[in-house]
Amino acid sequence: MRASGPLGEALARRAVLLDGGLSNQLAAQGCDLSGDLWSGRVLAERPDQVAAAHTAYARAGAEVLITASYQVGYEAFAAHGHDRAETTALLRQSVRLAARAAEAADHEVWVAASVGPYGAVLADGSEYRGRYGLSVRELAAFHRPRIEALLAAGADVLAVETVPDSDEAEALLIVLAETGAPAWLSYTVAAGRTRAGQPLGEAFALAAASPEVVAVGVNCCDPADVLPALEAAAGESAKPLVAYPNDGSVWDAGTRTWRTPENPVPWPARAWYATGARLIGGCCRIGPARIADLARTVRGG
């Protein structure tokens, strides 16, 4: 069933379980994610498969479903023959598909519209580097129409995710302030800094005074980087924290493949919770089975 209250209110009371990686679940379902549009291609060509992926996560116990809009940008889709109206329709469809799965679930589920970073639409791995050479104003102009389309479709919250650069976070916070929409802000990090190399304390401090941000934290990073990042976030803000790492693999943009760690990376989810994480799930290469396992930890607090 669709959640009836704001996500921020739930996070003030308890931990909430996120879903896992959409792309890996689509691949497991036999979808072709080749090409620059990645999961956006599946959204355009096989919406039934996107709906099935959302349903798999809802059945695993996920209480938040993140839409397939991460890599949907007007410029990228224009290069593949989609006009603005078609791209807007796809953004809105991504929300409707997640909403349909939420409504069919046997528990409350929020729909979070994915707002991926500028680097994601470049399809060259730059979401793991940041520093695109664009101003804050230019980045805000890029994100504004995407966010407006997702909100118009009725998303419960925005998942402002995989942000590699505090400059881009600043731009996104400007747009959030214009809309008043609730959102979480999660950076992708490495070795105690943003992917662009900025100190985490400074990056998290940007969101501390934003009334639109209901949670702040990290995603799509090595699980070993999560706890230090959460501690840095807790030092700058009293907001609930969010954590949804990948499995420790590293994306190789040249070969468009993941380099998997030799040994499984521990997930000290109870330590994340103790530090303040109240929105916990998985990102790339984390599937429904792992989310079902995580549900027991999250709900046990």
Side-chain angles (χ1 to χ4, degrees):
M1 68 193 76
R2 189 76 175 267
S4 57
L7 178 61
E9 291 182 5
L11 295 177
R13 300 190 306 268
R14 64 179 180 87
V16 174
L17 182 67
L18 284 168
D19 60 7
L22 183 62
S23 60
N24 49 269
Q25 181 58 22
L26 291 173
Q29 293 171 192
C31 297
D32 183 0
L33 279 79
S34 62
D36 294 347
L37 299 183
W38 196 37
S39 58
R41 173 183 174 185
V42 183
L43 174 65
E45 298 176 357
R46 295 294 309 276
D48 60 312
Q49 290 296 320
V50 173
H54 289 318
T55 298
Y57 282 117
R59 288 175 176 167
E63 298 172 273
V64 180
L65 299 177
I66 302 175
T67 65
S69 50
Y70 175 84
Q71 202 135 7
V72 180
Y74 288 96
E75 296 81 358
F77 272 67
H80 288 265
H82 296 266
D83 63 24
R84 288 188 71 84
E86 290 171 332
T87 302
T88 296
L90 283 174
L91 289 166
R92 293 180 175 179
Q93 176 165 263
S94 73
V95 175
R96 287 195 297 271
L97 292 171
R100 193 178 307 160
E103 289 158 4
D106 63 1
H107 56 278
E108 281 202 324
V109 177
W110 286 268
V111 173
S114 175
V115 180
Y118 176 80
V121 303
L122 300 179
D124 63 356
S126 58
E127 68 260 51
Y128 298 115
R129 298 191 299 270
R131 295 302 193 194
Y132 315 117
L134 299 179
S135 68
V136 169
R137 182 177 179 179
E138 288 170 323
L139 288 167
F142 167 78
H143 284 293
R144 187 173 289 110
R146 304 167 70 215
I147 287 174
E148 289 173 347
L150 292 166
L151 290 175
D156 298 313
V157 64
L158 297 174
V160 178
E161 57 182 356
T162 325
V163 179
D165 192 319
S166 58
D167 288 347
E168 186 163 24
E170 183 179 349
L172 285 157
L173 290 169
I174 289 170
V175 180
L176 291 179
E178 294 170 355
T179 65
W184 76 71
L185 172 65
S186 58
Y187 290 95
T188 179
V189 301
R193 289 181 171 265
T194 68
R195 296 286 184 145
Q198 298 129 337
L200 289 184
E202 295 178 11
F204 289 124
L206 288 173
S210 170
E212 291 78 29
V213 175
V214 300
V216 66
V218 294
N219 78 289
C220 211
C221 60
D222 191 302
D225 285 320
V226 171
L227 188 57
L230 294 180
E231 291 171 343
E236 299 295 337
S237 173
K239 294 179 185 293
L241 304 181
V242 55
Y244 53 119
N246 56 39
D247 68 344
S249 296
V250 176
W251 178 250
D252 186 324
T255 62
R256 300 179 67 84
T257 58
W258 289 97
R259 297 199 305 272
T260 306
E262 292 184 8
N263 300 306
V265 181
W267 276 48
R270 291 193 182 277
W272 302 345
Y273 179 88
T275 307
R278 295 296 180 269
L279 196 53
I280 303 174
C283 201
C284 297
R285 300 172 66 83
I286 302 299
R290 188 70 174 272
I291 295 303
D293 289 341
L294 188 59
R296 290 184 282 275
T297 300
V298 169
R299 288 173 185 151

